[in-house]
């Protein structure tokens, strides 16, 4: 992405009305919240957006809406490949790009089946490049339908084409992150790490920023970490923020994205907790965990002099 400094790219939620329809006024409020928090870009139509539960028309309409609300303040990327023949995936990639995105994201697990080789994946991606001429692309190692993690060699070869500008990494392995950064050095490209467990290490290694679900709870805290991870005067606070996310990772992942929407409601964001995805039961125990999490965040944000 074009943003040169370290930044937070939120994996955007999709707000729904209680009848299951997309709540576009709430999507406006949510987009404005990310921007106010200091997001360096926006990742629309991703797994957190419940993209597999949206129709093709809803995907495009929500992307256009987010692009419109962002108004050019930050770049927007969005997923453009879904199940189906490669030519149909290429057609949808072009539609997503025409919706105003800066790059269109390719789901690695949808270009080749789990039992298919890297060679097959590579061949299909090169065909996708040919069939989407001029469209900047990116990768997302999405956990669904299965997680296909790219090797450093693969990513380096793809980035060297000049067409791949973005990568959302979910390998959870700091050594692989370092190898991918080395393989793509010197190109107009950004690797955004999804794993908060090694967020500070990843930023110091050269990642362009973070793109994690925790940003749907406390985006200001992720922005603060991206800005201050290497500030010699704030290393105690940086360690506290890193530990906060590690300690609470389970709470933020359980019954997600329902828990994220509930947490945002606690913060005063007018958003329903309705989700189309079947993610489990939002029990009283889960609710209590999210409420305790918000209390801990409020304490930490005051220490950091953030606006709660």
């Amino acid at each position: 992405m074009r943003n040169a400094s370290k930044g937070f790219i939120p994996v955007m939620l999709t707000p729904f009305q209680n009848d299951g329809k997309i709540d576009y006024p709430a999507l406006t409020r949510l987009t404005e919240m990310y921007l106010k928090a200091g997001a360096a870009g926006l990742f629309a139509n991703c797994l957190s957006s419940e993209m597999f539960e949206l129709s093709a028309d809803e995907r495009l309409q929500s992307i256009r809406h987010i692009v419109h609300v962002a108004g050019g303040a930050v770049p927007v990327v969005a997923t453009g490949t879904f199940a189906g023949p490669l030519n149909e995936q290429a057609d949808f990639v072009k539609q997503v790009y025409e919706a105003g995105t800066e790059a269109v994201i390719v789901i690695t697990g949808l270009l080749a089946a789990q039992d298919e080789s890297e060679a097959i994946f590579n061949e299909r991606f090169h065909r996708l490049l040919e069939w989407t001429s001029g469209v900047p692309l990116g990768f997302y190692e999405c956990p669904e339908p299965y997680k296909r993690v790219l090797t450093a060699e693969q990513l380096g070869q793809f980035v060297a084409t000049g067409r791949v500008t973005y990568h959302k990494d979910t390998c959870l392995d700091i050594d692989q992150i370092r190898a991918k950064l080395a393989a793509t050095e010197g190109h107009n490209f950004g690797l955004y790490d999804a794993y908060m467990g090694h967020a500070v290490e990843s930023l110091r290694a050269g990642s362009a920023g973070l793109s994690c679900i925790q940003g749907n709870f406390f985006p200001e805290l992720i922005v603060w970490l991206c800005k201050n991870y290497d500030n010699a005067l704030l290393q105690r606070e940086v360690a506290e923020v890193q530990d906060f996310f590690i300690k609470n990772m389970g709470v933020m992942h359980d019954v997600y994205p329902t828990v994220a929407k509930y947490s945002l409601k606690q913060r005063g964001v007018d958003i329903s907790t309705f989700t189309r995805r079947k993610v489990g039961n939002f029990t009283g125990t889960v609710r209590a965990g999210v409420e305790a999490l918000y209390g801990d965040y409020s304490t930490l944000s005051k220490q950091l002099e953030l606006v709660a």
Side-chain angles (χ1 to χ4, degrees), residues 20-237:
K21 295 179 181 178
I22 295 178
D23 186 342
Y24 284 100
L27 184 56
T28 296
R29 293 191 292 272
L30 190 63
T31 305
E32 290 173 344
M33 181 203 73
Y34 293 127
L35 296 175
K36 184 178 179 181
L42 301 167
F43 186 174
N45 194 39
C46 56
L47 191 59
S48 289
S49 312
E50 303 178 61
M51 63 181 179
F52 292 120
E53 285 71 41
L54 302 179
S55 69
D57 286 344
E58 286 175 323
R59 291 166 185 158
L60 290 171
Q61 187 174 353
S62 61
I63 292 166
R64 293 188 189 106
H65 186 88
I66 291 163
V67 168
H68 174 73
V69 174
V74 299
V76 178
V77 301
T79 304
T81 58
F82 294 89
L86 192 62
N87 64 315
E88 292 182 6
Q89 295 193 45
D91 287 342
F92 197 69
V93 164
K94 288 182 277 191
Q95 291 181 64
V96 171
Y97 187 57
E98 290 166 0
T101 57
E102 178 160 297
V104 182
I105 306 305
V106 175
I107 302 298
T108 55
L110 288 174
L111 276 192
Q114 194 164 6
D115 60 353
E116 291 182 317
S117 67
E118 287 181 6
I120 291 173
F121 178 93
N122 295 351
E123 187 275 329
R124 287 182 186 153
F125 182 69
H126 282 293
R127 268 197 288 153
L128 186 67
L129 285 175
E130 292 176 10
W131 294 349
T132 58
S133 178
V135 178
L137 299 177
F139 290 113
Y140 173 21
E141 296 169 340
C142 184
E144 297 185 23
Y146 75 96
K147 187 192 290 191
R148 177 178 281 262
V149 175
L150 299 181
T151 67
E153 181 182 9
Q154 280 180 297
L155 188 58
Q157 290 175 354
F158 298 144
V159 169
T161 67
R163 291 279 305 283
V164 175
T165 61
Y166 179 96
H167 178 68
K168 176 176 162 65
D169 197 282
T170 67
C171 73
L172 315 183
D173 183 333
I174 190 62
D175 290 330
Q176 289 190 51
I177 295 291
R178 291 191 178 101
K180 289 176 179 177
L181 291 170
T184 56
E185 189 174 1
H187 293 278
N188 178 27
F189 166 79
L191 184 151
Y192 292 82
D193 205 331
Y195 185 46
M196 287 304 297
H198 60 217
V200 174
E201 284 185 275
S202 183
L203 290 168
R204 289 175 179 164
S207 295
L210 303 172
S211 186
C212 49
I213 71 167
Q214 288 82 357
N216 283 319
F217 295 80
F218 313 120
E220 300 89 349
L221 203 53
I222 308 293
V223 170
W224 183 93
L225 194 63
C226 287
K227 289 181 177 178
N228 294 290
Y229 71 96
D230 220 18
N231 186 330
L233 301 177
L234 294 173
Q235 286 311 292
R236 180 180 61 82
E237 291 86 349

Side-chain angles (χ1 to χ4, degrees), residues 250-302:
V251 176
M252 296 187 192
H253 278 82
D254 193 15
V255 200
Y256 178 85
T258 305
V259 289
K261 293 180 178 182
Y262 182 71
S263 182
L264 290 174
K265 283 180 70 72
Q266 286 188 290
R267 300 187 53 176
V269 178
D270 185 6
I271 183 174
S272 169
T273 59
F274 184 97
T275 60
R276 291 184 185 177
R277 286 179 64 80
K278 305 304 179 186
V279 294
N281 296 321
F282 188 56
T283 64
T285 301
V286 174
R287 182 190 303 266
V290 178
E291 291 173 353
L293 172 68
Y294 181 68
D296 291 345
Y297 163 72
S298 297
T299 300
L300 181 59
S301 68
K302 289 175 183 176

